[in-house]
Every structure is written in C-alpha cells, then in structure tokens.
Amino acid sequence: MTTRPAGRTSVAADALVEIGGVNHRSGYDFTREQLEEIQGAKLFISSALDSYGAADAAREWYGWARQPKRLEIFDGSAHGTELLLTTEPTAKPLIELVVRFLEQ
C-alpha cells in the first residue's frame, strides 16, 4: 500500500483501495498518523486467513482511517492480488465490490 502519496495534500485522491497489504513487517510500517491523513473514501480488503497478516493490517488501518471507510474480509487464504485470480472464488465478488465502491 502506498499511503504516502494518498496522504499528501498535493495528491487529491478521491479513493484508496488497499488489497492484502501488510503492516509492521517486510519493510512496511505505516502509522496511525499516515492513515489519518488520507482523504477520500477508503476500502481495506483482505482474506481472513492471509498468512502474511494482511487481515490484521486491514483491520488496523480501518480502525485508524477517517470516514468514509469500509472494511471487507473475504473467506479463504489468498494473499493480495491472488484474491483476483480467476481460480479464486473471491475474484468476481472482489471486482464487483471495487467497481461499486469506486462508482459511489
């Protein structure tokens, strides 16, 4: 997840869609302050059993972010963009969710 550009006033992002990101590991360490700076609608997505901890990160970021925001945890263990693979049952519902979110 690239929160730095979205959290800067020079970038006028209408929405942020975060899929399967991690926090406090693998070189990623986003803070409450960084998430609070992000304007616009925010959608945090993960699978429930993501072995990299993305569900925990999505919940943490959702808790830190200002409204408007949404959290969606899908069944399964796919990580990140694996949720979009056509072999995953999450692919179609995830695409539909993101499209509806962006249309709003």
Side-chain angles (χ1 to χ4, degrees):
M1 182 171 94
T2 306
T3 62
R4 289 180 187 97
R8 292 189 180 154
T9 57
S10 63
V11 175
D14 290 328
L16 169 76
V17 177
E18 186 283 317
I19 301 174
V22 297
N23 206 17
H24 314 301
R25 66 183 299 167
S26 300
Y28 298 100
D29 197 17
F30 301 106
T31 66
R32 174 184 295 271
E33 292 76 20
Q34 288 172 313
L35 270 288
E36 288 174 345
E37 290 175 4
I38 299 172
Q39 302 296 312
K42 293 153 288 287
L43 174 59
F44 302 97
I45 302 166
S46 180
S47 64
L49 302 175
D50 183 300
S51 63
Y52 295 93
D56 292 336
R59 288 183 186 99
E60 183 174 53
W61 292 330
Y62 174 81
W64 291 346
R66 289 192 266 162
Q67 293 288 350
K69 61 184 179 178
R70 181 171 176 181
L71 173 66
E72 191 70 36
I73 305 294
F74 286 90
D75 290 337
S77 60
H79 173 69
T81 55
E82 291 174 357
L83 288 159
L84 294 164
L85 293 175
T86 57
T87 55
E88 291 291 330
T90 53
K92 185 176 179 185
L94 175 54
I95 291 168
E96 291 171 355
L97 169 69
V98 171
V99 169
R100 280 192 317 270
F101 176 79
L102 294 174
E103 288 175 341
Q104 294 175 358

